[in-house]
Amino acid sequence: MKSSPPLWQRSLLYRTVASIVAMTLLVGGLLVAGLSVLVKQKAESEAYRRLGELIDTVESTVRIACFVKDEQLAAELARGLLRTQEISAVRISEEQKSLAYLERSPPAAAPLERQISSPFNEQERVGSIVLYPDQTLIEERIITSTVYIASQFALLIAAVAAALTLTVYRLVIRPIARLSHGLHELDAESGARLYPPLSHEHNLLGTLTADINALTARLVTSLHDEQALHRQQEIDERKYRGIFENAESGIFVADGKCRMTSYNRSLARQLGLPPAGDGNETLALSDLPWADRGLLPRLTARCLDENIHANDDFELMHPEYGWRWLNFSLTPVGPDLVQGIVSDVTDRRDAETRARRLAITDPLTGLPNRGGFEQQIKLTLGTRPEEEFALLLLDLDGFRQINDALGFNVGDQVLVGMAARLLAALKSEDTVARLGGDDFAILLPGVSSSISAGKLAQRLKKAISEPVRLENREHGLRASIGLARYPADGSTLPELLRHAELALACAQSDGGNTWRIFEPSMAEAVELRQQLSSDLLGASARDELRLHYQPIIDLRNHRVSSAECLLRWQHPTLGMIAPDRFIPLAEETGLIEEIGLWCLETACRQLAAWDARGLGLNLTVNVSARQIPSGLPPETVLRLLARHGLPPSRIGLEITESTLIGDRRAVEAWLEALRGAGCWIYLDDFGTGYSSLSYLKSLQLDTLKIDKAFVRDLNEASHDRVMVEAVTMMADSLQLSVVAEGIETQEQLQLLRRMGCRYGQGYLFSRPVPAEQLPEAVARIDALASRTTI
């Protein structure tokens, strides 16, 4: 082992003096070396200068010797020059040869040569003289000068080194020694301070003293903080141990192979383990009965490999409580250790499962909702793409009227009942869903043929059409159904839903209460329906709407008593469009109020024009359920009649039975106001809707119109005849008139007369005709009645 140097060699004073001496010696040596070079250069330069002066002295004599080529004279000059100590050899030469050469010692330095010209012509060269300096003499002079200079510098350097040493000792070393002694004696913990040396309060040593005091204070503070921290760590350790043992969450420490090194009581309870401390802290978590034993080791490996916090839920078979969901939150705490916090999240996972179930379930009926239904179809398409199935969309016709009339609670009861009927009519493997409102969807696995799908649709329609009793009255519902088949009508969910919707729209546009299977032409029909909806906007302003009139005959005298106004649409490109094609569109879009007002205005104007011509007819105008009561207020009706100078008794307003399903009080007030003013009220299409016979007693009505569906098949043995006869007798007892629609044959006419039906209309008498043709039709019917019995 290398021994340390003596104490005096390690002292700051020794090292400072040694450094100063070394630096001064180095600097002095460099200066002396530099000056020696300068002295040598100066000595050589001085020697050559003196040689040049000697040549200047004898140059004229040398010219003569060289010009006359006098060797004796040249030799004499050479001997004279050698007497000078600075010259070691002389050579005098003319152009052809050397005239004289003498030397005192062999030349060692470079010579000084000068060319000699003719004494008569400076341009003519006649010879040369060469002087060789004495190198030994030059070197002696150099040494003498160098020694002198070196001794002077040595004295100067010694004086500077001594001064520097004393200065450094007094200004640096001695104050630092005092600081060091004071620092050794300093009791910083008691608050003592170190004072700077005298006369050094405001220089670097004073700053150093202040820094030492500040550092000492920080060290004392840090020491106190460390002691306090150590005490707090001891307290925290006891607290942590208490928290660790008493925490509700399970806590453990495990290695990368899931082997626990410690765990608390809560974890033992959560995992069904014996208490810690029984020699089983090294139990491997991966050995427990997990639903998937590989998940927890993978989570632990990811936590350690990526040095990140990781958490996930795992399902465990608890020995007492069965399957439980546990959340493991892992944090790396060492190269191969993780700390885990475990929480029982069974309730949360069950709630999430319920939430997911609710997200795909209709809360009212318990059926799958739109999301659940689409999920089921996607599952079928994804897992069994080769399996054929049928998709049905079902809409309840008339549900809106029941909902509006009886309230949402009753409507909800109807929806629940309809869902139960659909389930009862289908097999267990079929899927029924409620898409929203009164729209249902049905998935029929294994059904691909049109015949099978049609039979099922008919069965569902029949199940829906069974009467439902609501608030002590029976109500009837109908169903419109659209079908699409996989893969015949589409191979994707959006395509199948779109095609089923098109088929449903087609069924609804055909009057409802029917079913349709998708056909490619239906897309064109829907496009046409959308075009009609768009074109219908502003049709009245463009003067495209027309009123046709069909006479109503008094069957007792066979004369025209009034006429019904029937709306037509003269489309600019599609021609004349029947009302059953655009009236539903007008009701859906809200245009029915504008169109209905136009019809009444036009009818009043036409009636006034006919009065001016002497044609005394009454007119009936159809009023949509959407117009009652606010769409066509009684004041508006009476104002229009007054504007054209018509009494209210000249106009009859035909309402349908669907009107009676709305706000009954508002409908009754509307009817009472108009009938009280003198207008006639007709109940159109009686027997086809939702009315109850009890309505006929309470509503302000004048006339019932029997729908042509009952007149069409009227004969001696038909059920329709029994119903028509019953309606006629009932109306007579209630003092209501009856109009039979759709009379086309003499047989129908005669039967209606015998039943006591007062009025009738139909093609037997006249088709609906434009206003300009009605007077002629009336005249023809009246003339025929006066000649013969129709």
Side-chain angles (χ1 to χ4, degrees):
M1 180 177 179
K2 186 177 180 180
S3 61
S4 60
L7 179 62
W8 62 271
Q9 290 186 4
R10 288 182 282 141
S11 67
L12 181 60
L13 178 61
Y14 169 78
R15 299 183 68 176
T16 302
V17 172
S19 298
I20 291 174
V21 171
M23 291 298 297
T24 54
L25 289 176
L26 177 62
V27 172
L30 292 175
L31 289 175
V32 170
L35 289 175
S36 297
V37 174
L38 292 176
V39 168
K40 178 182 178 182
Q41 291 176 349
K42 185 176 180 181
E44 291 178 347
S45 174
E46 182 66 20
Y48 283 106
R49 184 185 64 78
R50 289 175 59 82
L51 293 179
E53 291 176 350
L54 289 175
I55 292 175
D56 292 340
T57 302
V58 299
E59 183 176 4
S60 58
T61 305
V62 174
R63 285 184 177 185
I64 296 172
C66 290
F67 181 77
V68 297
K69 301 179 181 179
D70 187 346
E71 294 181 357
Q72 185 178 357
L73 179 57
E76 187 65 26
L77 283 172
R79 282 192 293 273
L81 290 172
L82 282 178
R83 285 194 287 271
T84 303
Q85 292 183 350
E86 286 87 349
I87 299 174
S88 63
V90 178
R91 182 187 298 276
I92 300 174
S93 304
E94 56 95 11
E95 285 297 313
Q96 301 297 326
K97 63 178 181 176
S98 175
L99 297 178
Y101 173 76
L102 296 177
E103 64 178 19
R104 188 173 52 249
S105 60
L112 176 64
E113 181 179 6
R114 179 177 295 182
Q115 300 297 323
I116 302 300
S117 58
S118 169
F120 305 103
N121 185 1
E122 288 293 333
Q123 302 299 325
E124 180 182 359
R125 183 176 177 275
V126 295
S128 64
I129 181 171
V130 179
L131 300 181
Y132 294 90
D134 189 338
Q135 183 66 30
T136 302
L137 181 62
I138 292 173
E139 289 177 355
E140 289 177 354
R141 290 177 178 174
I142 291 173
I143 291 172
T144 301
S145 298
T146 300
V147 169
Y148 176 77
I149 292 172
S151 61
Q152 295 295 320
F153 269 103
L155 292 174
L156 179 61
I157 289 171
V160 170
L164 284 176
T165 301
L166 290 174
T167 302
V168 170
Y169 175 76
R170 187 175 66 85
L171 297 179
V172 178
I173 294 176
R174 187 171 63 183
I176 290 177
R178 290 177 180 176
L179 280 177
S180 177
H181 178 73
L183 189 59
H184 280 89
E185 299 295 327
L186 182 67
D187 185 7
E189 196 167 359
S190 64
R193 293 176 56 83
L194 187 65
Y195 296 97
L198 293 176
S199 72
H200 291 280
E201 293 84 353
H202 305 294
N203 60 19
L204 207 57
L205 288 177
T207 304
L208 176 61
T209 304
D211 291 342
I212 291 173
N213 286 329
L215 178 61
T216 303
R218 287 198 298 270
L219 289 174
V220 171
T221 302
S222 298
L223 179 61
H224 291 163
D225 292 344
E226 184 178 359
Q227 292 171 347
L229 180 61
H230 181 68
R231 290 192 297 270
Q232 186 62 41
Q233 286 176 340
E234 292 179 349
I235 296 172
D236 291 343
E237 177 67 22
R238 290 194 295 271
K239 287 182 179 179
Y240 172 77
R241 177 54 55 183
I243 294 173
F244 181 81
E245 292 299 336
N246 301 307
E248 293 185 4
S249 298
I251 304 174
F252 70 90
V253 175
D255 61 15
K257 295 183 179 179
C258 299
R259 292 176 301 204
M260 292 188 294
T261 59
S262 63
Y263 61 90
N264 64 356
R265 287 192 292 267
S266 293
L267 185 78
R269 184 179 63 255
Q270 291 170 337
L271 303 183
L273 300 176
D278 293 345
N280 41 32
E281 286 85 352
T282 57
L283 176 69
L285 289 169
S286 55
D287 293 338
L288 298 178
W290 303 103
D292 187 339
R293 295 193 175 188
L295 294 179
L296 182 56
R298 285 197 291 270
L299 184 70
T300 304
R302 184 165 70 90
C303 175
L304 291 172
D305 294 344
E306 301 178 17
N307 194 30
I308 60 171
H309 172 79
N311 70 88
D312 203 350
D313 295 345
F314 307 106
E315 195 173 14
L316 173 73
M317 172 55 75
H318 195 281
E320 296 182 25
Y321 309 124
W323 287 107
R324 307 293 293 176
W325 280 100
L326 301 174
N327 175 265
F328 275 68
S329 179
L330 305 182
T331 303
V333 294
D336 193 43
L337 287 178
V338 295
Q339 176 179 281
I341 299 177
V342 181
S343 304
D344 191 317
V345 294
T346 304
D347 292 341
R348 188 200 76 195
R349 293 296 294 242
D350 290 345
E352 291 174 353
T353 302
R354 288 193 298 272
R356 285 193 296 270
R357 187 180 301 113
L358 287 175
I360 60 173
T361 303
D362 174 46
L364 177 63
T365 62
L367 299 175
N369 59 13
R370 177 179 288 274
F373 186 69
E374 291 182 356
Q375 189 179 93
Q376 180 62 36
I377 294 181
K378 290 178 181 178
L379 180 62
T380 301
L381 292 175
T383 58
R384 302 187 300 276
E386 71 287 346
E387 181 179 347
E388 298 176 333
F389 61 83
L391 171 62
L392 281 70
L393 296 183
L394 184 147
D395 182 80
L396 298 178
D397 301 334
F399 173 76
R400 180 172 180 177
Q401 289 83 351
I402 292 178
N403 210 33
D404 293 342
L406 304 180
F408 293 111
N409 290 334
V410 175
D412 289 347
Q413 295 176 21
V414 172
L415 291 174
V416 172
M418 294 302 109
R421 291 186 184 185
L422 293 174
L423 289 172
L426 296 170
K427 296 181 292 186
S428 59
E429 59 266 27
D430 300 332
T431 301
V432 182
R434 179 182 173 226
L435 303 185
D438 59 345
D439 297 327
F440 292 86
I442 302 165
L443 177 65
L444 303 173
V447 176
S448 60
S449 70
S450 301
I451 297 176
S452 300
K455 288 180 179 179
L456 284 168
Q458 189 65 32
R459 186 198 309 166
L460 295 175
K461 190 169 73 71
K462 182 179 179 181
I464 294 297
S465 63
E466 293 291 332
V468 56
R469 190 166 185 82
L470 301 171
E471 296 189 348
N472 299 322
R473 289 191 298 271
E474 287 190 348
H475 295 260
L477 285 175
R478 300 180 297 174
S480 297
I481 302 175
L483 297 91
R485 297 159 300 164
Y486 172 83
D489 300 327
S491 58
T492 64
L493 174 59
E495 193 175 14
L496 288 169
L497 286 173
R498 173 63 178 159
H499 291 168
E501 288 170 356
L502 290 175
L504 175 60
C506 182
Q508 292 172 327
S509 64
D510 289 344
N513 195 30
T514 187
W515 55 272
R516 293 290 182 268
I517 298 179
F518 170 75
E519 296 177 1
S521 60
M522 291 179 178
E524 300 175 2
V526 170
E527 291 178 3
L528 177 60
R529 181 181 175 87
Q530 292 175 342
Q531 178 189 347
L532 291 178
S533 296
S534 177
D535 293 346
L536 188 58
L537 184 65
S540 60
R542 295 191 299 270
D543 196 27
E544 295 175 2
L545 299 181
R546 304 284 186 271
L547 279 185
H548 285 196
Y549 304 87
Q550 187 174 36
I552 298 176
I553 313 301
D554 187 336
L555 299 184
R556 293 179 303 178
N557 57 24
H558 316 296
R559 294 188 177 277
V560 177
S561 64
S562 60
E564 180 182 3
C565 301
L566 299 171
L567 183 62
R568 301 290 186 268
W569 180 14
Q570 184 65 47
H571 193 278
T573 58
L574 301 176
M576 191 66 72
I577 300 177
D580 58 353
R581 292 184 60 189
F582 68 87
I583 290 297
L585 295 178
E587 291 179 334
E588 292 175 9
T589 58
L591 292 174
I592 191 63
E593 294 183 7
E594 175 189 338
I595 294 174
L597 190 61
W598 179 89
C599 290
L600 184 60
E601 171 78 26
T602 303
C604 291
R605 186 186 312 113
Q606 186 61 59
L607 195 57
W610 281 332
D611 282 354
R613 294 175 54 184
L615 184 63
L617 284 177
N618 294 339
L619 290 180
T620 65
V621 179
N622 290 280
V623 179
S624 169
R626 300 293 178 89
Q627 295 177 264
I628 301 173
S630 59
L632 187 64
E635 308 84 59
T636 301
V637 177
L638 298 177
R639 187 171 58 251
L640 287 175
L641 289 168
R643 183 190 302 168
H644 294 283
L646 298 173
S649 60
R650 300 293 304 282
I651 285 290
L653 301 175
E654 298 191 15
I655 64 173
T656 60
E657 295 183 17
S658 61
T659 305
L660 308 178
I661 299 299
D663 185 348
R664 183 169 174 178
R665 290 185 179 180
V667 172
E668 289 177 352
W670 187 87
L671 293 174
E672 184 176 355
L674 289 172
R675 192 167 184 269
C679 293
W680 300 92
I681 305 298
Y682 289 68
L683 183 59
D684 196 14
D685 300 335
F686 182 76
T688 62
Y690 312 97
S691 66
S692 169
L693 295 180
S694 63
Y695 287 173
L696 303 180
K697 297 180 181 180
S698 58
L699 295 177
Q700 299 291 322
L701 300 175
D702 295 294
T703 303
L704 301 180
K705 297 190 74 173
I706 300 176
D707 188 73
K708 61 185 178 181
F710 299 106
V711 176
R712 182 187 304 117
D713 297 326
L714 197 63
N715 56 58
E716 292 288 345
S718 70
H719 295 290
D720 292 338
R721 179 192 172 207
V722 175
M723 180 176 176
V724 172
E725 192 169 12
V727 170
T728 303
M729 294 175 62
M730 177 192 63
D732 184 62
S733 65
L734 295 174
Q735 297 183 348
L736 299 176
S737 298
V738 176
V739 178
E741 297 180 309
I743 302 175
E744 297 182 356
T745 67
Q746 285 287 347
E747 291 77 9
Q748 294 169 347
L749 176 61
Q750 296 305 324
L751 284 172
L752 290 169
R753 280 175 173 169
R754 288 200 297 270
M755 294 177 188
C757 181
R758 175 71 182 274
Y759 299 98
Q761 67 184 101
Y763 287 178
L764 178 63
F765 308 109
S766 173
R767 291 177 176 271
V769 296
E772 61 272 14
Q773 297 180 16
L774 184 63
E776 179 184 348
V778 171
R780 177 178 54 79
I781 294 172
D782 288 348
L784 183 60
S786 63
R787 294 195 305 269
T788 181
T789 300
I790 297 178

